[in-house]
C-alpha cells in the first residue's frame, strides 16, 4: 500500500527538507509526487537549468526510504515562457487571452508550448530515469482541470488537421455535420474555425467533434511527454491524475495509455450524496482498467480552499473516505499536499502536515491512517466482483447535453440517481461503455443512451440475447455517432430488443414555458423555462402503487413488450411507462420517463429480483457500505450509530478470525472473506427478499 502526498519542497528553504523526511517517516509515508509545479525553479530562464536542488531532495528522500513519483513539471509554465512566447497562451471563445499569474495558462495544441515542455521532460528523464528513488512518472497535472477549451489560432490549426485526418474529404465532413442546414456547407478544411462566439447555436455535430478534439488535444500533451520519457529509457509506470467523471476528457479513451490509473477525489462535506457520488467515482476509476488496482493521488486530509465554504472533515471521515477508495480498488492513498503552503492561493488548503504543526487533530489522523495502511499489507487485486454494469459514456454525455433538445438533461446527475439505487442496496456496480456490455454481467443499466454507436448497440443486443437483463431509456437510441437521427425513426437499433416502437419525446414542463413565443428568448426567460421544465412530472402506476417521473413521458408503443406500468396523467395517459420484453434468452426493460427516487427504488428492486443480482453482504445495517475486491470485503459505517455486520473471514489488519464485525460510527473493517462463502450467504439473502 502506497501512502504519501504531493511534495513541493521548492516552496520551502532547504533547512525544512530534513524535517520533512523525518516527519514523513513518522507518518508512514513511503511515496511522494515531487515537483509538480517546479518548472520555474528547474528552468528559471530559457537557457538556465537548475537540477542541483532536485538532486538533493531526491537523494534525501531516497536515503529516508521514501520513493519518488517524479513530476514532469509541465502544468504551469514559468513567466518567461508567457512573456517570450505569447502564442503559448490559451484564448477563450470570444478571442480574449488567458494571461499568466495562475496556472495551466497554456494552449494544449500550441507547438511552442509542446516544444518547451518537451525539452523540460527530456532533461528530467535523462537525469532521473535511472535514479533508484524514482518509481513512477507523474505527467503534467490534472489535464484540463481549469481550462479544457482553447479557441486560439493554434487550436484552430490543430482542429483543421484533426478534422482532415478524421474525415479525409470535406464532403465527408459536410455529410457528417449535416451542413446543408443553415447554409453551413464548407468548401475546404481551412474554412472551419473552432466554435468561437456565434450569434446562436453552433452546429451540434460540429460541437461533438470539437469535444472529441479538445479531449484528444489534452491527451496528445500527455502522450507527447510519455513518448519522451520512454525514449529516454524510463521503465517506471507512467500516468497522470484523472478527476473522476470529468466531462472534458474521455478517460475511457485515455485509459489504455496509462500504466496505472490515478485519480484525484475531493468529496464535498456539504453534499448530501457525498458517499454515493464518491463511490461512483471510485467505481468508474476502477472500471477503466479492470482487474488492476488504481491509485488515489489526491484527496484532502481536512478542508479545501476552493469551495465557497470549506468546512473540515468530521473525526473518522478521513479514514472512512480512504477505506472507500481501498474497497473499490485503490492500492495507493495520497494527498494534496504534504506540507501546508504558507503563501499562494492554496495556503488555506489542508495538508498532511498542517501549518499549525504536529500537535493537531489532522496530524493525529494522518499518522493513524499511515499505521493502519501499513498493517493492511498487500491486498487482493480487484476481481470480477460486480454482477451489475452501469453504462456511462462520454460521447453520449457530450451529445445529450448539447442545446436545442426536447428537454435539458444533466447526464451525470441522472446516472448518479441510477447508481444510487444500487448503492443503497449494497450492490456492487462496474461502470462501462456500451461496447463492454457483453462481458459477463447479469444486469446492464443503460439510462439515457441518446447517442448510440452501432458497436455499442450490437454488444447490448448480444448481451440480452445471451440471457442478460437490460434496462434502458428514456431518450435512448435517438442519434448516431454524428448526432444525427438515423433513417427509420428512433430506437432503430434497439427497437427489437426492447420490443417497442418510439413515436415521440413527450418533454415535460411545469406551468410556464418561459418564453413569449415571439422573438428570441431573453436570458431571464430561459432561466424560467429551465426551472419550469425541472418541475414537470408525469404520474404512472407500477406494481399497484402510484409514482412519478420527470424530464419526459415518451410516447412508445409495445410491438412485443409487456407493459408493466402506464402513465396516468398528461398527454401520454394510458400509454406505456415501463415495459419488459423477452429477447433471445434474456429480457430488456424500458423506462419511458426518468423515475423519481421512490419509483427508481421500486424499478431497481424489481430488476434485481428479475436478474438474480445479490448485494455484497446481506442485511447491511443502514449507513453501512460494503464493497468487494477479490477476497477482500470492506465495511464502512457512515452512519451515526454503532452497527454490527455478519461477515465471516479474517480481519486483514489483525489476522483475527471474525464472524460478526462491530463498527463504530465512521468505523472501518477490512475482512478477507472468500467469494464462495459470501455468495452462499448472499444467495439466501436474495432468496429471502424476493419472497
Ligand atoms: C487539484 C490540483 C492540486 C491542488 C488541489 C487542491 O487537485 O491537482 O494541485 O490544487 O487541487 O485541492
Amino acid at each position: 500500500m502506497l501512502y504519501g502526498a504531493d511534495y513541493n519542497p521548492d516552496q520551502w528553504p532547504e533547512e525544512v527538507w530534513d524535517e520533512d523526511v523525518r516527519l514523513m517517516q513518522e507518518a508512514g509515508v513511503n511515496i511522494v509526487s515531487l515537483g509538480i509545479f517546479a518548472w520555474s525553479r528547474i528552468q528559471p530562464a530559457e537557457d538556465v537549468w537548475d537540477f542541483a536542488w532536485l538532486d538533493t531532495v531526491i537523494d534525501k528522500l531516497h536515503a529516508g526510504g521514501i520513493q519518488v513519483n517524479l513530476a514532469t513539471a509541465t502544468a504551469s509554465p514559468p513567466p518567461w515562457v508567457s512573456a517570450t512566447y505569447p502564442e503559448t497562451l490559451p484564448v477563450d471563445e470570444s478571442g480574449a487571452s488567458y494571461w499568466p499569474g495562475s496556472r495551466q495558462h497554456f494552449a494544449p495544441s500550441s507547438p511552442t508550448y509542446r516544444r518547451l515542455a518537451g525539452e523540460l521532460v527530456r532533461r528530467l528523464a535523462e537525469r532521473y530515469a535511472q535514479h533508484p528513488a524514482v518509481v513512477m512518472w507523474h505527467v503534467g497535472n490534472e489535464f484540463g482541470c481549469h481550462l479544457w477549451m482553447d479557441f486560439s489560432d493554434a487550436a484552430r490549426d490543430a482542429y483543421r488537421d484533426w478534422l482532415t485526418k478524421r474525415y479525409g474529404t470535406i464532403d465527408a465532413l459536410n455529410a457528417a455535420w449535416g451542413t446543408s442546414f443553415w447554409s453551413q456547407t464548407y468548401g475546404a478544411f481551412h474554412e472551419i474555425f473552432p466554435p468561437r462566439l456565434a450569434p446562436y447555436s453552433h452546429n451540434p455535430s460540429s460541437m461533438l467533434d470539437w469535444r472529441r478534439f479538445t479531449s484528444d488535444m489534452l491527451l496528445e500533451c500527455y502522450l507527447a511527454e510519455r513518448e519522451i520519457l520512454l525514449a529516454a529509457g524510463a521503465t517506471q509506470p507512467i500516468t497522470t491524475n484523472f478527476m473522476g467523471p470529468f466531462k472534458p476528457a474521455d478517460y475511457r479513451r485515455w485509459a489504455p495509455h496509462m500504466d496505472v490509473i490515478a485519480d484525484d477525489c475531493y468529496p464535498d462535506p456539504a453534499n448530501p450524496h457525498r458517499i454515493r457520488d464518491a463511490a461512483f467515482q471510485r467505481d468508474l476509476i476502477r472500471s477503466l482498467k479492470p482487474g488492476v488496482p488504481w491509485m488515489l493521488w489526491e484527496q484532502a486530509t481536512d478542508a479545501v480552499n476552493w469551495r465557497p465554504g470549506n468546512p473540515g472533515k468530521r473525526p473518522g471521515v478521513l479514514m472512512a473516505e480512504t477505506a472507500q477508495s481501498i474497497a473499490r480498488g485503490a492500492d495507493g492513498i495520497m494527498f494534496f499536499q504534504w506540507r501546508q503552503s504558507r503563501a499562494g492561493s492554496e495556503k488555506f488548503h489542508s495538508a498532511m502536515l498542517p501549518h499549525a504543526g504536529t500537535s493537531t487533530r489532522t496530524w493525529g489522523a494522518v499518522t493513524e491512517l499511515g499505521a493502519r495502511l501499513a498493517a493492511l499489507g498487500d491486498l487482493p487485486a480487484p476481481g470480477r466482483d460486480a454482477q451489475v454494469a452501469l453504462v456511462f459514456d462520454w460521447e453520449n454525455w457530450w451529445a445529450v447535453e448539447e442545446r436545442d433538445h426536447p428537454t435539458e438533461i444533466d447526464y451525470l446527475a441522472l446516472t448518479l440517481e441510477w447508481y444510487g439505487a444500487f448503492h443503497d442496496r449494497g450492490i456492487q456496480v462496474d461502470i462501462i461503455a456500451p461496447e463492454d456490455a457483453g462481458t459477463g454481467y447479469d444486469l446492464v443499466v443503460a439510462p439515457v443512451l441518446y447517442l448510440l454507436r452501432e458497436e455499442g448497440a450490437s454488444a447490448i443486443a448480444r448481451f440480452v440475447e445471451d440471457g442478460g437483463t437490460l434496462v434502458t431509456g428514456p431518450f435512448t437510441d435517438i442519434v448516431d455517432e454524428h448526432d444525427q437521427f438515423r433513417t427509420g425513426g428512433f430506437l432503430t437499433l434497439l427497437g427489437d430488443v426492447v420490443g417497442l416502437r418510439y413515436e415521440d419525446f413527450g418533454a415535460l414542463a411545469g406551468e410556464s414555458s418561459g418564453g413569449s413565443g415571439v422573438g428570441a428568448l431573453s436570458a431571464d426567460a430561459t432561466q424560467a423555462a429551465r426551472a419550469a421544465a425541472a418541475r414537470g412530472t408525469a404520474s404512472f402506476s407500477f406494481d399497484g402503487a402510484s409514482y412519478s417521473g420527470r424530464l419526459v413521458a415518451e410516447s412508445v408503443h409495445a410491438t412485443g413488450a409487456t407493459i408493466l406500468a402506464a402513465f396516468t396523467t398528461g398527454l401520454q395517459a394510458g400509454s406505456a411507462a415501463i415495459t419488459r420484453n423477452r429477447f433471445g434468452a434474456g429480457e430488456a426493460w424500458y423506462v419511458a420517463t426518468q423515475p423519481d427516487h421512490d419509483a427508481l427504488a421500486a424499478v431497481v428492486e424489481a430488476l434485481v429480483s428479475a436478474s438474480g443480482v445479490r448485494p455484497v453482504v446481506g442485511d447491511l445495517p443502514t449507513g453501512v457500505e460494503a464493497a468487494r475486491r477479490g477476497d477482500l470485503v470492506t465495511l464502512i459505517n457512515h452512519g451515526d450509530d454503532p452497527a454490527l455486520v455478519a461477515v465471516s473471514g479474517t480481519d486483514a489488519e489483525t489476522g483475527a478470525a471474525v464472524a460478526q464485525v462491530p463498527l463504530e460510527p465512521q468505523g472501518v473493517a477490512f475482512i478477507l472473506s472468500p467469494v464462495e462463502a459470501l455468495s452462499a450467504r448472499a444467495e439466501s439473502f436474495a432468496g429471502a427478499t424476493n419472497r
Side-chain angles (χ1 to χ4, degrees), residues 6 8 36-37 103-104 138 141-142 145-146 241-243 264-266 298-300 303-306 336-337 346 349-350:
D6 289 6
N8 299 304
I36 296 170
F37 297 102
R103 64 175 173 184
Q104 235 184 69
H138 181 302
N141 189 58
E142 291 191 342
C145 166
H146 308 295
N241 36 356
F242 287 177
M243 292 162 278
D264 297 349
C265 184
Y266 292 90
E298 288 183 29
Q299 65 175 344
V304 301
N305 64 297
W306 41 264
F336 174 82
Q337 62 176 327
E346 294 183 323
H349 196 295
S350 60

Side-chain angles (χ1 to χ4, degrees), residues 25-36:
Q25 289 168 332
E26 194 178 313
V29 165
N30 54 24
I31 187 167
V32 291
S33 298
L34 178 63
I36 296 170

Side-chain angles (χ1 to χ4, degrees), residues 275-276 278-287 292-294 321-331 382 385 419 422-423 426-430 616 624-629 632 634 636 638 670:
I275 293 153
R276 174 201 74 177
F280 172 81
Q281 172 159 349
R282 306 187 206 288
D283 283 347
L284 170 69
I285 289 295
R286 182 197 58 247
S287 303
V292 182
W294 53 277
E321 289 182 349
T322 299
Q324 198 188 44
S325 285
I326 296 169
R328 295 174 191 275
D331 263 2
D385 304 315
Y419 178 83
F422 290 92
H423 188 254
I427 292 170
Q428 188 131 338
V429 175
D430 282 347
V616 173
V624 176
E625 181 179 15
R628 170 173 282 287
R629 56 178 281 182
L632 180 77
T634 304
I636 309 168
H638 298 288
F670 300 100

Side-chain angles (χ1 to χ4, degrees), residues 645-662 669-674:
V645 185
V647 174
S648 53
T650 312
D651 186 307
E653 291 172 90
T654 63
V658 294
Q660 299 279 328
V661 183
F670 300 100
I671 311 296
L672 290 163
S673 176

Side-chain angles (χ1 to χ4, degrees), residues 289-315:
K289 251 194 210 306
V292 182
W294 53 277
M295 289 176 74
L296 181 70
W297 269 9
E298 288 183 29
Q299 65 175 344
T301 55
D302 204 4
V304 301
N305 64 297
W306 41 264
R307 294 192 177 103
N310 295 299
K313 297 187 183 189
R314 288 194 294 145

